[in-house]
Amino acid sequence: MTQQPTLGMRPQPMISVTDVEHSGRWYRRVLGATSGHGGSEYERLLVDGHLVMQLHRLEVGHHHGPLADPERPVGNGVALWFATGDFDAAVRRIRAVDAQVVTDVHVNPNAGHREIWLRDPDGYLVVIAES
């Protein structure tokens, strides 16, 4: 068994969404994730026990104030990119959710791997790619 290196820093993106519970269900199904928190204001999404992203209700400020301006569209200019070791299983999950596919399965000519691009319930661009 090969020991995985410990990263000195890991991304833990948090996005603002209009409905945390709905988006949480969508991301759990698409990513094969589990809930690490749950609730109507905040969610932590885990894959293989590791935090991969956080969802935060758009208009809730908690201790830090609002994360986004509710008068502006969310997700503009943001691509949430996920690499997976089982791309075919991820595509099957995406098809089962009937997600809005922007660019269907294709080979990225720069990276040389397969990808599928879709939109989440709030319009964020989500890319699932082979590892």
Side-chain angles (χ1 to χ4, degrees):
M1 178 178 229
T2 303
Q3 181 80 15
Q4 292 288 345
T6 302
L7 299 176
M9 186 180 302
R10 291 178 302 143
Q12 298 179 341
M14 182 185 310
I15 62 171
S16 296
V17 298
T18 55
D19 185 333
V20 169
E21 291 167 319
H22 177 69
S23 291
R25 282 189 300 275
W26 188 90
Y27 276 102
R28 285 193 303 275
R29 291 179 66 195
V30 166
L31 301 177
T34 58
S35 172
H37 185 276
S40 62
E41 296 181 352
Y42 175 75
E43 172 67 287
R44 295 168 50 92
L45 297 168
L46 309 173
V47 175
D48 298 328
H50 298 281
L51 179 64
V52 296
M53 75 180 303
Q54 304 168 79
L55 306 173
H56 197 283
R57 189 165 168 176
L58 182 64
E59 66 276 357
V60 173
H62 289 132
H63 62 91
H64 45 66
L67 298 176
D69 180 348
E71 300 301 315
R72 296 179 181 247
V74 294
N76 184 38
V78 174
L80 300 166
W81 201 285
F82 298 93
T84 180
D86 193 347
F87 182 77
D88 294 321
V91 170
R92 285 191 296 275
R93 288 192 305 267
I94 290 164
R95 303 257 192 256
V97 172
D98 195 28
Q100 178 191 350
V101 175
V102 175
T103 304
D104 214 331
V105 175
H106 65 284
V107 174
N108 178 320
N110 297 315
H113 62 226
R114 292 181 297 162
E115 301 172 352
I116 186 169
W117 294 45
L118 50 147
R119 294 276 177 195
D120 83 352
D122 285 284
Y124 285 95
L125 182 62
V126 177
V127 181
I128 307 296
E130 286 180 309
S131 296

